[in-house]
Amino acid sequence: MAKKYVYFFGGEKADGNGGMKNLLGGKGANLAEMAGHKDLRLPVPPGFTITTEVCTYYYNNKKSYPEGIKQQLAQAMKKVEKLMGKKFGDAGNPLLVSVRSGARKSMPGMMETVLNVGLTTKTIPGLIKQTQGNERFVYDAYRRLIMMYSDVVMEKAAGIELKDDESGIRKQLEKIMSGMKKNKGITSDVDLDAEDLKKLCELFKQRVKEALKKDFPDNADAQLWGGIGAVFSSWNGKRAISYRRIEGIPDEWGTAVNVQTMVFGNLGSSSATGVGFTRNPGNGENQFYGEYLINAQGEDVVAGIRTPAPINRYSQSEHNKDLPVLEIEMPKIYSQLVSIRNRLERHYHDMQDIEFTIENNRLFMLQTRMGKRNGPAAVRMAYEMYKSKMISDKEAVSRVTPDQLDELLHPIIDPAAEKKQQPLVKGLPAGPGGASGQIVFSAVDAVKWAKEGKTVILVREETNPEDVEGMRAAVAILTARGGMTSHAALVARGWGKCCVVGCGSLSVDYERKQLSVDNKTLNEGDWITLNGSKGTVYEGRLPMISASEENKVLNDFLKICDRIRKLKVRTNADTPEDSRRALAFGAEGIGLFRTEHMFYGKGADKPLFYLRKMIMSVDVSERSKALEELFPFVKSDIKKTLEVMQGLPVTIRLLDPPLHEFVPREQEQRAELANSLNINIEKLNKRADSLHESNPMMGHRGVRLGVTYPEISRMQIRAILEAAAELLKQGLKVNPEIMIPVVGEVGELQHQFVVAKEVYQEVLKKYNLKKVPHSFGTMIEIPRAALLADRLATVAEFFSFGTNDLTQMGFGFSRDDLGAFLPDYLKSGILSDDPFQTIDQAGIGQLIEMGINRGRKARPGLKVGICGEHGGDPRSIDFCHRAGMDYVSCSPFRIPIARLAAAQAVLK
Amino acid sequence: MAKKYVYFFGGEKADGNGGMKNLLGGKGANLAEMAGHKDLRLPVPPGFTITTEVCTYYYNNKKSYPEGIKQQLAQAMKKVEKLMGKKFGDAGNPLLVSVRSGARKSMPGMMETVLNVGLTTKTIPGLIKQTQGNERFVYDAYRRLIMMYSDVVMEKAAGIELKDDESGIRKQLEKIMSGMKKNKGITSDVDLDAEDLKKLCELFKQRVKEALKKDFPDNADAQLWGGIGAVFSSWNGKRAISYRRIEGIPDEWGTAVNVQTMVFGNLGSSSATGVGFTRNPGNGENQFYGEYLINAQGEDVVAGIRTPAPINRYSQSEHNKDLPVLEIEMPKIYSQLVSIRNRLERHYHDMQDIEFTIENNRLFMLQTRMGKRNGPAAVRMAYEMYKSKMISDKEAVSRVTPDQLDELLHPIIDPAAEKKQQPLVKGLPAGPGGASGQIVFSAVDAVKWAKEGKTVILVREETNPEDVEGMRAAVAILTARGGMTSHAALVARGWGKCCVVGCGSLSVDYERKQLSVDNKTLNEGDWITLNGSKGTVYEGRLPMISASEENKVLNDFLKICDRIRKLKVRTNADTPEDSRRALAFGAEGIGLFRTEHMFYGKGADKPLFYLRKMIMSVDVSERSKALEELFPFVKSDIKKTLEVMQGLPVTIRLLDPPLHEFVPREQEQRAELANSLNINIEKLNKRADSLHESNPMMGHRGVRLGVTYPEISRMQIRAILEAAAELLKQGLKVNPEIMIPVVGEVGELQHQFVVAKEVYQEVLKKYNLKKVPHSFGTMIEIPRAALLADRLATVAEFFSFGTNDLTQMGFGFSRDDLGAFLPDYLKSGILSDDPFQTIDQAGIGQLIEMGINRGRKARPGLKVGICGEHGGDPRSIDFCHRAGMDYVSCSPFRIPIARLAAAQAVLK
């Protein structure tokens, strides 16, 4: 027997089921599940799915089909015909079908669809009969078929080059249609009557033949196979490939094809079509949310051409509040939908994205799938489903991706500033957060300007799949038309990108590159600011603030994460302000406090002067004197942060950069410095030049400074311990950890440990204390340190992996000089990731694992963490968990993500 | 029973034996062996050894002695007294003893000795009686005792600060003695008669009491214990500590003390004292070699105060040819000595260094030990002893240290130039090779000048242990007095340092800092040149040439090594000349041929120009054009070396340095370049500046250039394969190995391998060949490469460890910037060695072992070598052997050392 290529569904039965996504695609599997699963048995229009294996076969065999498929298809079609009591291609009682794509993973709008397949000169009369003589509907359906089919099958799939906007067949046909409307003096399609449409169909067919040198097929089977082929072809269309590249979908997956009975939402005022979400995908509220259009086909909703009406009061908004509510218009249908909605959530334990059609007061479910949601919605749904026991804590944690969480942490417009500002225009809140950018009016310009380093907002009448790359390049998207389920909204939500759609009062002039609202006009390059969470648009640049730490649902959700995760989460912070913010985000300590940070930024003038004085010293006594002057600044700096952290561990790294980093390079500044240090400029130049290094990354820095100038370490350790002692004396808790950087050999640690012990005794004596809690540890950032971690652990009480430098030295990659070749490496696939973004587990990961295992062998219970930038990267956090670290440390804003990623690591 | 602290020897019996060096010291063990071993039973003056454990006890217990030692010493002394028929401290028939140090390892002249112990006012008459009334001898012995004892025991060991030249007690006593001689109008000590000496002894004792506030001890036991304590104390004297630091002798070893019956070589003309070597320590000839002084004590020979006479004709030289030969003067004694010499070599299977004394025509053997020898002697002895079956091949190989071998490879004066030159003066050839340097006249100046980077030759009347550090700092040593066994000769020979001693006609004026020969005068800072192998001294700087490859004994010796070693030895060479030299030294291939070398040095103008043109190219087509122009130079360069190597493997490394290394830095040169490239200087500057890197070591170099600009690799690979193909066509053998540098990821190798495969096919076609032998491999110099060696080995057919870069990145040490901290690291002992001199086995060694094991796991039989500078370092070679490498590669001059070290590694 031949392999099964065609899977039937319908009439509460199905050959497949929801688990067969790889074979049937997401849509096909769900149709099977909806139709066939005993808990659901939804009113799905019957049809069948042609498997993804056929797609693979199609591409491997010069676009031909496997043997036996025709017979299987015919059999499935028979079942459909039987259920519907109609016959495909039959003159008297014709069955019409849709032909749609359906890949494993949803690729909204990226592939082709053909509707009304089976409508021919032969079947038209039968359909007119079926629709009680609704000729207008039938010829409208026919003209839609011709437009869609000639574009998708006859032009695109056939590879005919008419594709630019003006010459494409679709545009040509649209022009004929507008011409007719203009001649008749009407503006809306619905004002064309049956005769107009009948005439239009003839004009369309003539033009198709002229332009494409081929007759429009007047045979149902030919139409069907043409449609199937076009869907398979569209898998390798330019848009689909570009989308796959962005989303990381493998080319070899292929798409399935779903052939399904046509049901019509456009059969008059008792018909409609709609889409919905079982919960609000924009904020996660547990409310049925949806939109519909009376007397319309499904693509009218998705395309955003007409503003859809709300299905219920909850779905009402400023811009659709005057439109008829389904719940009121068709209460029975609505309650049937609500019941389906509840069944779906019970069955799938997750929010579903559904499509439905009402044909003459009869409800059909066209699709259900896991609903895309933005970050805030993902967090809220996960938390509430967990609270209502729909899902477990582990399930809840795995429902939110780190990227989604990141959306909650996106910058927003400063509310104070926003309050004072009058919006330019209002639309739908389609993507989270706030964004300011310069206006551009085409995807091409968005990409171009972004490449030039500009921050742009893409403004379009509406977006379409051709715009995807431009949408990617923009920081935000603004459209004049379309609803929450329009292309722009779907895409932006998927990416968590700030987006406002459906600003009805906005008009866009592509030619002049202008947008206007009322009598206000803005030009290309002007700045605007969007609030994607509210749907408001402002002129100019509004100040942004980081996402609020005060998000109760987020905090509750993160507490679930906290109960699951094993890794502690600390922060990298150098100031009391950062430390406070980090605490609010849930930091459990500071993993990296860089002492040198006090020499940068505001208020650094004085300490920097003493540091430079120290650097310019020529002997120990001069140096010690300068260090003595520097000491109070260092102590006070450390003390403030220790105080904020209230006894949580604070890892303080001793001076790390080479000294020449602090010496001015320009002669003018040097002269000034020489003057204020009261030394000769030649002397200063000589000393400064002697500090120059060929490879400063691997030069005289970190512990190497501490060994050469023990007095520098001594001063810093004294500052740490005295700060701690003084806070202790005030009755506060302290937990400083002294961390030595750039260590490669245990002798270095021993050397510094001796200094630390001496200073400790002095401090105890000075403050008359028995003990000042502290520990002594090392960075592991030199490859040799990882190799000899067992030796280091004999002295170090903790390890902190400095994965930035470990990656630099492990790869021999200078991060400053990487730009010359890393792009080539990523492009050619030699490296799959920038190793400074996510830990190179294959190579550098070995050093980390070695370091941990050997360190713990020598000192069981050795505390181990990471303080490189990788500490905020979810994949790296997963690795750190598996490697057995005690904590990760990251920037304050990454803490929530780290908490989530640490919990997800446990679940893997 | 108490522990045994005192070991008796004498009368053909001994408590200990030669194997007890750790306990009895080298001298004590050998005395026991000489006295007691059945094959030897030499006429050793009886005595006993106090063990090194007593020294340890002495230092651990505030300079006190363990219980029971006094009784054990008394018992041993009784045995000695019985054998000698004399009694220690006895008035009538007194026994005198010497008290000498003796550590595990010989430390010539670094510790103290006291002779004639037991001579007191009470025993003087008895000794006069014993010596048939030789009052002069007895008071001479007494004044020697007082001088030595007051200096060594009463001043130095007591820690009294009279130590500078003028105020020291020894100097004071010497002045009294010179004063007496002056008063009497005589110049030589021997002209002082018994009465003079008797008076002198009284003056000495008075001065001792005045200067040291203590009576000179007039009790034999007190003298004995004082002497023992002084020897133990001298273990921690400044000189001994300094010597131990240089020689790497642990402080905790301690010294033994040997108390031995005094025998007198100064009892008149039938008495003598001498030293000898069973073979010539200067060139290794199998001839008994020695010197003696009639009527003298042993220290007179070693101190080099009088020029000693030869023991036989063989030992005659220019400067002692008129002195009486022992073989003629005392034929019986001489033949007794020859017989002992033969017994010693048969027993020890090695060259011995002996001390003997003739007391009234009776021979006593005072010491025998392994004789120090210079490199040429070590090689010759090892080879000849092996040939005569005295030792095995393995023994022979282990007899020569790599440092000794190095001496044979030392530069020598160009013989052509030397022939034309008249020597300034002639002396004894005491240290190998030739050397030029500036004259200094004190050890202090030698150290100071050397620190300033000057090359100095230390010129002294004679040297003493205080001069050791200065001798170390000098490139060569020249003395006016002393023989082949003088201090200077012994030390220089041990170090293999160029040295000429005993230039009788040379006079040295320390005050004026001048030396003069006849009426020629040279000043401090003037250049001289020594031939340490001939004993000649020349004015000015003579040209040096490298040691000859034409050394038959060396070649024969190295062939023994070759039969034992497992490691192959290749060379790092970039030119046909170097390759030829390396072949002469025994190279078995080239381990590193650096393609970029052709752009440095003479004749590089043209290829460098095209290289720069290539670097300044802005696109592939410009670059390819420049590469095409460069190609013939690269091909011809490679071809010449492949031709010389006649089918031996030649590993050719593709371009390694970052491109900016080849771009001139100065504006003037850049302008010139811009002009000749016919481009705008701004354009050139822009391009040159864009190449600048923060850390070039870890920047855009090696394979990273090859990935970014595959056309560069393509050109080089084509040059290699075309060169090989053309030689093949000429009927020659070739074996090029294409090596990719700076690899960290297998994708890099795959990328380059594709290029290589393409080029290979093109070359086969162009030359109409079926095959061009070659292989494709990688450097392992990035830590990640070692970690992922299993992946790399799927593509690479060979690995070559670039341990310079591996050390740089493994340690995070930039070699260019190391000077700022490495000295501190070595001084404080954080690192015991410069890791760029010898492989850091603990850390970098792990990466190497990992790399080899993982590489071989993926590709059994993977060829592995090393091409870093460590390839010529004996300790590193030993490591490479243990790690399982196939070959090491080093500079041509290090090849013999590598051959030896590789053999010794097998024997370990």
Side-chain angles (χ1 to χ4, degrees), chain A residues 324-571:
Chain A
V325 175
L326 184 69
E327 185 175 6
I328 297 164
E329 301 290 318
M330 300 179 173
K332 272 196 180 164
I333 294 281
Y334 179 74
S335 78
Q336 196 185 343
L337 261 181
V338 168
S339 147
I340 286 171
R341 174 234 181 200
N342 294 340
R343 261 185 283 165
L344 284 171
E345 277 216 350
R346 266 204 310 279
H347 180 66
Y348 287 108
H349 304 294
D350 201 357
M351 186 266 273
Q352 293 293 299
D353 168 356
I354 59 173
E355 291 181 19
F356 61 90
T357 285
I358 301 161
E359 187 183 87
N360 288 323
N361 281 320
R362 187 175 162 201
L363 176 67
F364 287 98
M365 296 302 297
L366 300 185
Q367 180 166 286
T368 187
R369 54 185 174 185
M370 218 61 79
K372 288 205 178 184
R373 63 209 72 183
N374 64 17
V379 170
R380 180 164 182 171
M381 287 179 199
Y383 178 67
E384 289 183 354
M385 287 182 185
Y386 162 71
K387 283 310 265 185
S388 69
K389 300 191 173 152
M390 188 187 279
I391 57 176
S392 70
D393 55 351
K394 288 173 186 170
E395 189 72 39
V397 166
S398 64
R399 280 288 167 85
V400 179
T401 68
D403 284 348
Q404 284 175 324
L405 198 60
D406 196 28
E407 289 174 36
L408 274 79
L409 308 164
H410 271 173
I412 59 169
I413 304 172
D414 184 341
E418 196 173 8
K419 209 181 272 175
K420 291 179 205 149
Q421 194 83 3
Q422 200 57 36
L424 178 71
V425 64
K426 284 191 87 178
L428 293 174
S436 285
Q438 290 178 276
I439 301 170
V440 289
F441 290 96
S442 77
V444 173
D445 287 338
V447 170
K448 201 178 113 210
W449 286 43
K451 267 197 189 145
E452 289 165 17
K454 290 174 182 158
T455 307
V456 299
I457 291 179
L458 178 62
V459 179
R460 298 288 293 171
E461 192 67 32
E462 55 182 311
T463 66
N464 62 45
E466 257 95 9
D467 295 324
V468 166
E469 301 220 25
M471 295 164 80
R472 188 85 186 174
V475 291
I477 300 143
L478 170 62
T479 70
R481 291 192 294 190
M484 284 295 276
T485 49
S486 65
H487 178 261
L490 280 170
V491 171
R493 198 176 303 136
W495 290 343
K497 182 162 284 191
C498 177
C499 179
V500 174
V501 298
C503 297
S505 59
L506 187 79
S507 74
V508 180
D509 186 336
Y510 292 128
E511 212 151 89
R512 291 193 176 163
K513 300 196 172 181
Q514 283 182 337
L515 65 82
S516 48
V517 184
D518 307 327
N519 34 16
K520 188 111 204 167
T521 300
L522 297 180
N523 294 296
E524 187 189 49
D526 286 347
W527 284 83
I528 56 171
T529 299
L530 306 193
N531 182 334
S533 308
K534 279 193 185 172
T536 40
V537 182
Y538 303 92
E539 243 194 302
R541 299 179 75 167
L542 266 60
M544 294 285 153
I545 59 160
S546 39
S548 166
E549 300 92 273
E550 297 303 317
N551 179 329
K552 196 177 162 348
V553 175
L554 174 61
N555 287 342
D556 288 340
F557 172 76
L558 288 174
K559 276 177 198 147
I560 309 177
C561 298
D562 293 347
R563 286 198 296 275
I564 289 172
R565 70 184 160 93
K566 300 275 184 285
L567 279 172
K568 295 251 174 208
V569 176
R570 296 197 194 175
T571 191

Side-chain angles (χ1 to χ4, degrees), chain A residues 694-698 704 708 748 782 784 787 791 808-812 814 817 824-825 840 842 846 854, chain B residues 694-698 704 708 748 782 784 787 791 808-812 814 817 824-825 840 842 846 854:
Chain A
S694 302
N695 295 287
M697 240 296 303
M698 303 161 75
R704 299 165 194 175
T708 324
E748 296 171 320
I782 299 280
R784 193 174 185 269
L787 294 165
R791 294 191 189 178
Q808 289 204 91
M809 285 180 261
F811 269 92
S814 162
D817 307 313
D824 288 327
Y825 273 51
D840 160 52
Q846 286 190 48
R854 293 177 184 186
Chain B
S694 301
N695 295 287
M697 241 295 304
M698 302 161 74
R704 299 164 193 175
T708 324
E748 296 172 318
I782 300 282
R784 193 174 187 270
L787 293 165
R791 294 191 188 176
Q808 290 204 89
M809 285 180 262
F811 269 90
S814 161
D817 307 313
D824 289 328
Y825 273 51
D840 160 51
Q846 286 190 48
R854 293 177 183 187

Side-chain angles (χ1 to χ4, degrees), chain A residues 522-812:
Chain A
L522 297 180
N523 294 296
E524 187 189 49
D526 286 347
W527 284 83
I528 56 171
T529 299
L530 306 193
N531 182 334
S533 308
K534 279 193 185 172
T536 40
V537 182
Y538 303 92
E539 243 194 302
R541 299 179 75 167
L542 266 60
M544 294 285 153
I545 59 160
S546 39
S548 166
E549 300 92 273
E550 297 303 317
N551 179 329
K552 196 177 162 348
V553 175
L554 174 61
N555 287 342
D556 288 340
F557 172 76
L558 288 174
K559 276 177 198 147
I560 309 177
C561 298
D562 293 347
R563 286 198 296 275
I564 289 172
R565 70 184 160 93
K566 300 275 184 285
L567 279 172
K568 295 251 174 208
V569 176
R570 296 197 194 175
T571 191
N572 299 350
D574 314 311
T575 64
E577 299 76 48
D578 278 356
S579 308
R580 262 187 286 270
R581 180 171 297 131
L583 283 176
F585 274 125
E588 293 162 294
I590 291 181
L592 180 61
F593 176 97
R594 295 168 301 161
T595 43
E596 62 271 17
H597 199 263
M598 66 178 295
F599 303 116
Y600 308 116
K602 58 179 179 181
D605 302 0
K606 258 180 142 180
L608 183 57
F609 173 74
Y610 292 122
L611 179 74
R612 286 170 167 175
K613 192 170 169 187
M614 184 277 280
I615 293 168
M616 288 302 144
S617 306
V618 293
D619 58 32
V620 180
S621 89
E622 254 189 47
R623 198 176 305 113
S624 298
K625 205 166 148 270
L627 284 167
E628 208 50 57
E629 292 170 309
L630 185 53
F631 172 74
F633 295 96
V634 178
K635 179 165 88 173
S636 128
D637 191 60
I638 290 169
K639 193 173 166 182
K640 282 182 210 152
T641 292
L642 281 180
E643 191 173 358
V644 170
M645 294 305 290
Q646 304 171 55
L648 289 173
V650 177
T651 310
I652 301 162
R653 183 180 69 184
L654 302 194
L655 197 64
D656 182 75
L659 298 181
H660 51 77
E661 268 201 16
F662 302 101
V663 179
R665 265 170 195 77
E666 303 304 322
Q667 273 308 314
E668 205 175 318
Q669 284 176 278
R670 282 193 180 177
E672 210 177 288
L673 178 62
N675 193 39
S676 52
L677 285 173
N678 201 16
I679 59 172
N680 190 308
I681 175 72
E682 279 80 39
K683 191 185 152 190
L684 186 136
N685 273 332
K686 204 179 149 195
R687 171 83 179 132
D689 294 343
S690 79
L691 291 172
H692 169 81
E693 294 185 307
S694 302
N695 295 287
M697 240 296 303
M698 303 161 75
H700 196 188
R701 54 181 285 243
V703 72
R704 299 165 194 175
L705 291 169
V707 167
T708 324
Y709 310 119
E711 54 278 11
I712 298 181
S713 296
R714 173 174 295 276
M715 181 279 283
Q716 294 179 85
I717 294 169
R718 187 153 63 91
I720 295 166
L721 294 176
E722 287 200 7
E726 289 174 9
L727 291 169
L728 270 186
K729 283 278 189 189
Q730 293 171 31
L732 298 173
K733 283 188 184 168
V734 288
N735 188 3
E737 303 181 318
I738 301 167
M739 180 160 74
I740 311 296
V742 199
V743 170
E745 161 60 42
V746 68
E748 296 171 320
L749 273 188
Q750 283 158 342
H751 183 280
Q752 298 289 290
F753 190 56
V754 167
V755 173
K757 273 200 302 192
E758 283 170 14
V759 173
Y760 183 55
Q761 291 307 325
E762 289 162 18
V763 171
L764 290 185
K765 206 168 159 192
K766 176 169 176 184
Y767 290 92
N768 192 23
L769 285 165
K770 287 245 162 64
K771 193 185 158 188
V772 175
H774 72 282
S775 59
F776 183 89
T778 183
M779 295 276 285
I780 304 283
E781 56 188 332
I782 299 280
R784 193 174 185 269
L787 294 165
L788 295 175
D790 44 351
R791 294 191 189 178
L792 300 193
T794 60
V795 181
E797 295 166 293
F798 64 86
F799 282 178
S800 178
F801 281 87
T803 47
N804 296 351
D805 275 2
L806 197 60
T807 300
Q808 289 204 91
M809 285 180 261
F811 269 92

